[in-house]
Amino acid sequence: MTTDHVWGNTGKREQEESRAWIELNIGHLKQNIESFQSMLPHGCKMMPAVKAEAYGHGAVPIARNLQSVGVTDFCVASVEEGVELRKEGISGKILVLSYTPRGAVYKLSDYNLIQTVVDKEYANMLMETGIKLKVHIGVDTGMHRLGVWWEDTEDILEIWEKENLTVCGVFSHLCVADSKRTEDMKFTRTQIDRFNQVIETLRRAGKKDFAVHLQSSYGILNYSQCNYDYVRPGIAMYGVLSKKGDWVDTEISLKPVLSLKSRIECIRDLKAGEGAGYGLDYTAERDSRLAVLSIGYADGIPRNLSKKAFVLCHGKKAKIVGRICMDQMLIDITDIKEALPDDEVVLIGKSNNTQIYAEQFAEWAGTITNEVLSRIGGRLERIVV
Ligand SMILES: *Cc1c(COP(=O)(O)O)cnc(C)c1O
């Protein structure tokens, strides 16, 4: 099924009314999906990670738009995220990747969500609830986070026998697929081998009709020859790498889906020597003009971007100065004479022919894009462009 229909707020009005907002380029999202499909073995399906509001992009607009290009199954982190998607009419398979507390297990069944079995004890707990559930068994192939240890196939088979649990998938997670150090590549190979052995053993024990999946973004990009039923792309599907310069072993052009924008709220002229902001942390070295932007750390802007980072205003770079506030921040626009109140300012994305990539933004903040993106947007409008 393919349609060109785009889901989400698409009006100019939302954009005009917002003090700060996220723009979603759905064309880029679709291109990234097509790129994965062209790299992966024929028949391999997508189960994108739309947890944490689809890494800040908005779980509902992302899932709906993916649905319109035939991507119907999704991974989320929590049962609540799954419930939200169901309430918004997402009808495909939804896998909850992490633990659901005992008290919320009924929601898995009420909303037809698939739960991950994070270990044997957890399977016992799920069994004790007596609630009929669909599950995927997580297998720990070396990351030592979630999953039944790969050698404990007896335990996996035991979980299969639990009366109220229907096992419809088995998966694992790679933890160094982004690294091309020899020992890391060797470790990933080991994880893949262990996973294959588990699947072999299960098949030999007569288990069939279960979905198998292993790769997230870097597993897709660097180990695309793996041939399982699903892949679970997250960060790369949003057109972004975790870090600038990360190893990508394929010719793929990822297109960023998200832009982050705000507005100039007001403009202040300072004489040389005058200070601005909390702590008067900024001092004008020359007669300066500052713009106050209507976005701050409560919108997910890392407070430590101050002094290191710039934003784009009329396609020109403006340095972030002073301390970032909860709802505002200051930029130096002394050399951008055309800047006026209500003008758009770009924090991530393109302004005329200049672009700030999420990878750069994350580097300024001293972290990875996954973290900065998943933290933005609690208070921002999301607009499809
Ligand atoms: C978050 C997550 C993913 C997606 O990871 P990316 O690195 O963003 O692609 C896939 N699988 C699991 C188990 C996850 O927790």
Side-chain angles (χ1 to χ4, degrees):
M1 180 176 76
T2 325
T3 91
D4 282 320
H5 188 77
V6 160
W7 297 87
N9 294 329
T10 52
K12 240 349 216 175
R13 187 182 61 78
E14 280 85 1
Q15 193 167 329
E16 279 163 8
E17 288 183 1
S18 297
R19 60 181 270 284
W21 68 99
I22 286 166
E23 284 178 10
L24 300 174
N25 186 327
I26 297 301
H28 283 180
L29 178 71
K30 293 176 179 175
Q31 284 177 43
N32 295 335
I33 289 287
E34 281 165 18
S35 297
F36 291 156
Q37 281 165 340
S38 70
M39 283 167 51
L40 290 163
H42 186 71
C44 176
K45 292 202 283 182
M46 306 275 155
M47 189 168 21
V50 294
K51 58 194 182 185
E53 284 297 352
Y55 297 43
H57 295 63
V60 171
I62 293 296
R64 284 213 179 133
N65 282 295
L66 287 172
Q67 225 177 221
S68 80
V69 289
V71 176
T72 55
D73 304 336
F74 301 99
C75 309
V76 293
S78 71
V79 65
E80 293 305 338
E81 291 177 336
V83 169
E84 194 207 346
L85 290 181
R86 283 284 185 252
K87 284 183 173 164
E88 294 292 333
I90 300 300
S91 56
K93 297 185 175 115
I94 300 179
L95 172 64
V96 178
L97 291 168
S98 45
Y99 160 87
T100 298
R102 187 189 291 258
V105 168
Y106 73 95
K107 291 185 190 170
L108 295 167
S109 140
D110 286 2
Y111 289 92
N112 188 24
L113 306 173
I114 304 169
Q115 174 60 44
T116 296
V117 174
V118 302
D119 65 8
K120 192 182 165 195
E121 288 66 37
Y122 189 66
N124 288 333
M125 189 276 269
L126 292 177
M127 187 198 62
E128 284 165 19
T129 66
I131 299 170
K132 275 203 175 315
L133 297 170
K134 289 181 194 153
V135 298
H136 281 200
I137 301 178
V139 178
D140 182 355
T141 50
M143 185 179 183
H144 291 112
R145 190 177 64 173
L146 303 181
V148 181
W149 185 243
W150 71 280
E151 287 173 302
D152 300 336
T153 36
E154 289 299 310
D155 288 347
I156 297 176
L157 288 166
E158 219 175 280
I159 294 168
W160 227 286
E161 300 316 314
K162 302 220 185 282
E163 219 162 79
N164 58 322
L165 305 185
T166 305
V167 179
C168 44
V170 174
F171 73 96
S172 188
H173 196 47
L174 301 173
C175 53
V176 283
D178 59 339
S179 166
K180 74 169 183 189
R181 282 172 39 190
T182 313
E183 57 268 46
D184 291 335
M185 290 174 75
K186 214 171 133 208
F187 191 81
T188 301
R189 290 273 160 228
T190 302
Q191 283 195 284
I192 295 170
D193 284 347
R194 289 172 172 178
F195 187 60
N196 288 340
Q197 282 182 51
V198 171
I199 300 307
E200 265 285 313
T201 307
L202 293 172
R203 293 211 168 114
R204 260 189 277 116
K207 306 301 173 199
K208 42 186 193 298
D209 297 332
F210 60 94
V212 177
H213 47 106
L214 175 67
Q215 301 134 284
S216 54
S217 293
Y218 286 90
I220 298 168
L221 296 172
N222 297 330
Y223 298 88
S224 62
Q225 66 287 1
C226 288
N227 193 355
Y228 301 115
D229 299 315
Y230 282 102
V231 290
R232 306 183 304 267
I235 194 70
M237 183 185 71
Y238 304 106
V240 170
L241 295 176
S242 290
K243 282 197 306 304
K244 221 198 281 181
D246 267 350
W247 174 48
V248 174
D249 197 26
T250 48
E251 293 288 317
I252 186 174
S253 112
L254 296 172
K255 303 272 171 66
V257 175
L258 175 143
S259 301
L260 177 61
K261 300 186 176 181
S262 180
R263 289 186 191 287
I264 296 181
E265 199 168 327
C266 55
I267 291 176
R268 294 283 176 263
D269 287 310
L270 275 74
K271 295 223 157 49
E274 285 185 318
Y278 284 121
L280 293 175
D281 205 38
Y282 164 80
T283 308
E285 282 171 11
R286 53 174 177 162
D287 289 352
S288 297
R289 172 164 287 186
L290 303 187
V292 182
L293 305 187
S294 55
I295 188 167
Y297 60 74
D299 302 295
I301 308 302
R303 198 165 165 273
N304 67 357
L305 281 191
S306 176
K307 295 170 205 156
K308 282 177 263 179
F310 58 81
V311 302
L312 300 174
C313 181
H314 293 278
K316 296 175 184 163
K317 294 178 181 180
K319 199 172 171 202
I320 300 175
V321 298
R323 290 188 196 159
I324 292 175
C325 310
M326 190 180 284
D327 320 302
Q328 282 94 20
M329 53 194 265
L330 300 169
I331 59 169
D332 184 347
I333 53 160
T334 312
D335 299 321
I336 309 174
K337 304 285 182 229
E338 61 273 44
L340 290 171
D342 221 40
D343 279 355
E344 176 182 299
V345 168
V346 176
L347 292 99
I348 297 174
K350 229 176 179 171
S351 171
N352 299 342
N353 289 320
T354 319
Q355 187 160 1
I356 296 175
Y357 290 93
E359 287 89 340
Q360 175 64 66
F361 189 87
E363 189 181 290
W364 283 325
T367 184
I368 57 172
T369 55
N370 311 49
E371 183 182 346
V372 289
L373 292 178
S374 67
R375 284 170 177 236
I376 62 175
R379 201 166 64 174
L380 305 179
E381 184 118 38
R382 296 184 176 89
I383 300 159
V384 171
V385 293

